[in-house]
Amino acid sequence: MSSTTDAEPSPEARAPRPRGRARRGLPEGSGLSSSSGRRAPSVTGRVFSILEAFDGDHRALTLTEIARAAALPVSTAHRLVGELAAWGALERGPDGAYRIGLRLWEVGSLAPRSVGLRERAMPILEDLYEAVRQNVQLAVRDGHEIVYVERLAHPEAVRVFSRVGGRWPLHPTAVGQVLLAYAPPVVQESVLAERLAAYTSRTITDPAVLRRVLAAVRRDGVAVCDGMIDLAALSVAAPVRGEDDTVVAALSVVVPSPSEGGGIEPRTLVPAVRAAARGISRALGAPTALRSDAVPRAEGRRAES
Amino acid sequence: MSSTTDAEPSPEARAPRPRGRARRGLPEGSGLSSSSGRRAPSVTGRVFSILEAFDGDHRALTLTEIARAAALPVSTAHRLVGELAAWGALERGPDGAYRIGLRLWEVGSLAPRSVGLRERAMPILEDLYEAVRQNVQLAVRDGHEIVYVERLAHPEAVRVFSRVGGRWPLHPTAVGQVLLAYAPPVVQESVLAERLAAYTSRTITDPAVLRRVLAAVRRDGVAVCDGMIDLAALSVAAPVRGEDDTVVAALSVVVPSPSEGGGIEPRTLVPAVRAAARGISRALGAPTALRSDAVPRAEGRRAES
DNA sequence: GGCTGCCTTCCGTTCACCGGAAGCAAAGGA
DNA sequence: TCCTTTGCTTCCGGTGAACGGAAGGCAGCC
């Protein structure tokens, strides 16, 4: 043990990510502070809790709102927010509200798992987008969730709930199922042991079923989710592999669900999605994607095009 | 003064951004610490200097490298980096090096001036990209620099040096000239008073010339830069306006320079670029872009309100 | 006027942060 | 094999940076 460099999936070992506490609003009336004493009283921790006050539904907050969301005294929030704004991590609009600043976005743009991946995937994503004229999504896994790294949405395509930078659980999304199917066993078991939330009547909530689905995904190299988050949408996803041939991301196309009268036969999308995913893998330098003969494994040609 | 809410370009008033000190390497051998005493000894400041250690050319750093770049003792850097990594602002690879983490990118994605703008501009950018099959860029101004918010590059297009999240000075780029032309007078004067760096023999370095160019940009609603950063590239840019009708971004197309034997006559691009910029303005709710007859307006602005 | 909500400034107390030093581990060189 | 180098991690006592209550200033509203 203790060997820092080699085997041992250290990044996997990271705790399943706390995920914001009850997130905003503190609806549970009880005493706010103290409680479990789970305060992280380091300056850095306070700064993070300020940043966490912002999310997709709260892009502009006043000082008081920040203080409330971050559970900090106003005077403390005032000082820290001042420093953040001076550096450019936050920006203050003419209305007095704070927003995430350009500078923070800028350093965020250096994250290899998002922008680095995105840059190389973009041309292929666009080709796929042009071909299907629907929603095209690229996501990575972080802990027990997926994070959307890129999303191309056709104005007339079926509406989806994802957002660049947004998070979703693994089990009800096609990208999530792919990422989970190829995740380290520890992660899989840990997810299977959790409660699987239902979003629609079709969401998989039974661990045994999910386990079978994951096996099928590994066998076929493709995941298909019909109406598991939104009854009107169906998505098809395939794995993207990196330099060491591990699955680093997943690509998906979202189309209207045929059960809802959508026009597209999902099976016709499979080859296109698989090919695009493979193209991205190649751009990333994945060994199996470089060998021209390598077929994702089994099932390779039987899928009638 | 002191009135917080109304007139007064508070965001403009922000200092011209320090821009990293000597940036990395500390080549000057002299005694490191103390020196000018220009240390910002707050915890938050130290955290920022750690984040600043990362840039486009340094996306993966070891602890020691971070400590050196941030001018911090290793033990201090170790503690702070540990906190950053625990939260997800940094990630540690199997090689032991730190990179910018997904979590930081995620909150960065909430910045209205980058992603918010990008999301609404994307469809139009893609149309333009499909039409010209060259480089298409979207940028905003931050202080005395432009920041590229999005960039679509055709594989066969002329090579450009920009990068999403990258910074460049205002005067040698078409987007920069547009953003400067419509910037508040204080900013313009302040830029004109600085030394204008030359990148090629064609870069504008004379303030008087730049002043005339800016006037022309305001008159025409378009900027054209031929070989000012790279002799082989020519770019055409137009302003994008926001809800309050101020210029919030600029859009450009980069093509091979005709003087270098490139095939495209730049003037043919002007209508397309202008139309696309107008389309984005409309998507953002800009009043003049909504009125169907409104022409970008000649010399229209005036320090309103 | 009185009230409420929000932002800002001040200042004495204290505890979290600091960073030198020492201990480890791995890589290289003789 | 031993020694050196380089880089990472842990420890711990002193101290000054951070904390947050309190008070003051705006607006807007009843």
Side-chain angles (χ1 to χ4, degrees):
Chain A
M1 54 228 44
S2 81
S3 77
T4 43
T5 52
D6 56 7
E8 180 198 8
S10 85
E12 299 310 337
R14 176 141 67 96
R17 168 165 315 301
R19 198 74 271 256
R21 69 205 178 300
R23 198 106 206 89
R24 180 165 329 281
L26 52 153
E28 73 296 22
S30 74
L32 47 117
S33 62
S34 67
S35 62
S36 60
R38 177 40 29 69
R39 191 78 266 115
S42 87
V43 184
T44 322
R46 288 172 222 247
V47 167
F48 290 147
S49 61
I50 287 177
L51 293 181
E52 278 177 342
F54 294 84
D55 64 21
D57 300 322
H58 305 83
R59 296 182 186 233
L61 298 173
T62 67
L63 176 61
T64 316
E65 287 170 329
I66 293 174
R68 200 158 29 220
L72 293 173
V74 187
S75 63
T76 300
H78 179 253
R79 177 169 28 84
L80 294 177
V81 161
E83 282 191 277
L84 288 168
W87 185 72
L90 297 181
E91 288 178 6
R92 186 160 205 189
D95 55 350
Y98 293 92
R99 287 152 235 270
I100 297 292
L102 205 55
R103 199 73 202 287
L104 193 63
W105 170 81
E106 205 180 319
V107 299
S109 301
L110 297 170
R113 285 177 65 203
S114 59
V115 181
L117 169 66
R118 189 193 100 97
E119 271 168 14
R120 296 202 253 184
M122 203 59 178
I124 295 160
L125 290 182
E126 299 205 309
D127 290 345
L128 182 58
Y129 170 75
E130 283 303 322
V132 302
R133 294 249 145 206
Q134 290 288 344
N135 302 285
V136 176
Q137 306 180 320
L138 184 66
V140 299
R141 181 177 63 82
D142 191 46
H144 288 194
E145 291 172 305
I146 57 173
V147 176
Y148 287 104
V149 164
E150 183 53 281
R151 185 165 96 77
L152 300 177
H154 195 269
E156 289 156 28
V158 59
R159 173 162 160 46
V160 293
F161 299 115
S162 62
R163 176 178 66 78
V164 170
R167 286 178 180 266
W168 277 96
L170 293 167
H171 70 280
T173 59
V175 274
Q177 290 178 2
V178 167
L179 291 170
L180 185 54
Y182 293 98
V186 248
V187 176
Q188 293 187 17
E189 292 310 320
S190 153
V191 168
L192 285 164
E194 286 174 354
R195 214 181 74 75
L196 303 173
Y199 292 83
T200 71
S201 55
R202 293 185 160 197
T203 310
I204 295 178
T205 55
D206 182 347
V209 174
L210 181 53
R211 200 182 290 273
R212 277 199 299 278
V213 167
L214 295 181
V217 170
R218 275 188 295 270
R219 176 170 36 98
D220 302 340
V222 168
V224 178
C225 268
D226 190 357
M228 293 203 188
I229 283 190
D230 174 359
L231 286 174
L234 175 147
S235 54
V236 179
V240 172
R241 295 172 182 274
E243 272 180 290
D244 56 357
D245 217 38
T246 57
V247 172
V248 297
L251 167 68
S252 78
V253 169
V254 184
V255 299
S257 171
S259 57
E260 294 279 311
I264 301 176
E265 165 56 40
R267 250 176 306 177
T268 63
L269 292 171
V270 171
V273 172
R274 252 203 293 232
R278 227 177 119 74
I280 298 174
S281 302
R282 190 178 313 119
L284 295 177
T288 57
L290 292 173
R291 280 188 282 122
S292 61
D293 60 326
V295 172
R297 177 197 310 259
E299 200 62 27
R301 56 220 63 214
R302 199 148 60 67
E304 84 298 39
S305 62
Chain B
M1 44 238 50
S2 83
S3 79
T4 43
T5 50
D6 56 8
E8 179 197 8
S10 84
E12 299 310 337
R14 177 142 65 96
R17 168 166 311 303
R19 201 73 270 256
R21 69 206 177 296
R23 196 108 206 90
R24 182 166 324 280
L26 56 152
E28 75 296 19
S30 76
L32 47 118
S33 63
S34 67
S35 62
S36 61
R38 178 39 31 66
R39 193 74 270 117
S42 86
V43 184
T44 322
R46 289 173 222 247
V47 167
F48 291 147
S49 62
I50 287 178
L51 293 181
E52 277 176 343
F54 294 84
D55 64 20
D57 300 322
H58 305 84
R59 297 184 185 230
L61 299 173
T62 67
L63 177 61
T64 315
E65 287 170 329
I66 293 175
R68 199 157 33 218
L72 293 173
V74 185
S75 62
T76 301
H78 179 252
R79 177 168 29 85
L80 294 177
V81 161
E83 282 192 276
L84 287 168
W87 185 71
L90 297 181
E91 289 178 4
R92 186 160 206 190
D95 55 349
Y98 293 90
R99 288 154 234 270
I100 297 292
L102 204 55
R103 199 75 203 286
L104 193 62
W105 170 80
E106 204 180 320
V107 301
S109 302
L110 297 170
R113 284 177 67 202
S114 59
V115 181
L117 170 65
R118 190 193 99 98
E119 271 168 14
R120 296 201 254 184
M122 203 57 178
I124 295 160
L125 290 183
E126 299 208 308
D127 290 346
L128 183 58
Y129 171 75
E130 283 302 322
V132 302
R133 294 250 145 206
Q134 289 288 342
N135 302 286
V136 175
Q137 306 180 320
L138 184 67
V140 299
R141 182 177 63 81
D142 192 46
H144 289 193
E145 292 173 304
I146 58 173
V147 177
Y148 286 105
V149 164
E150 183 53 283
R151 185 165 97 78
L152 300 177
H154 195 268
E156 289 157 27
V158 59
R159 175 163 157 42
V160 293
F161 299 115
S162 62
R163 176 178 66 78
V164 170
R167 284 177 182 266
W168 277 96
L170 293 167
H171 70 280
T173 59
V175 273
Q177 290 179 1
V178 166
L179 291 169
L180 185 55
Y182 294 99
V186 248
V187 175
Q188 294 186 17
E189 292 310 320
S190 153
V191 168
L192 285 164
E194 286 175 352
R195 215 182 74 75
L196 303 174
Y199 294 83
T200 71
S201 54
R202 295 185 159 198
T203 310
I204 296 178
T205 54
D206 181 347
V209 175
L210 182 54
R211 201 182 290 272
R212 277 200 299 278
V213 167
L214 295 181
V217 169
R218 275 188 295 268
R219 179 175 27 117
D220 302 338
V222 168
V224 178
C225 268
D226 190 357
M228 293 205 189
I229 283 190
D230 174 0
L231 285 174
L234 175 148
S235 54
V236 179
V240 172
R241 294 171 183 275
E243 271 180 291
D244 55 358
D245 217 37
T246 58
V247 172
V248 297
L251 167 71
S252 78
V253 169
V254 184
V255 300
S257 170
S259 60
E260 295 279 312
I264 301 175
E265 165 57 39
R267 250 174 308 176
T268 63
L269 292 171
V270 171
V273 172
R274 251 204 293 233
R278 231 177 116 74
I280 298 173
S281 302
R282 190 178 311 120
L284 295 177
T288 57
L290 292 173
R291 281 186 284 124
S292 60
D293 60 326
V295 173
R297 191 198 314 221
E299 201 62 33
R301 37 179 312 100
R302 153 158 280 100
E304 80 297 318
S305 73

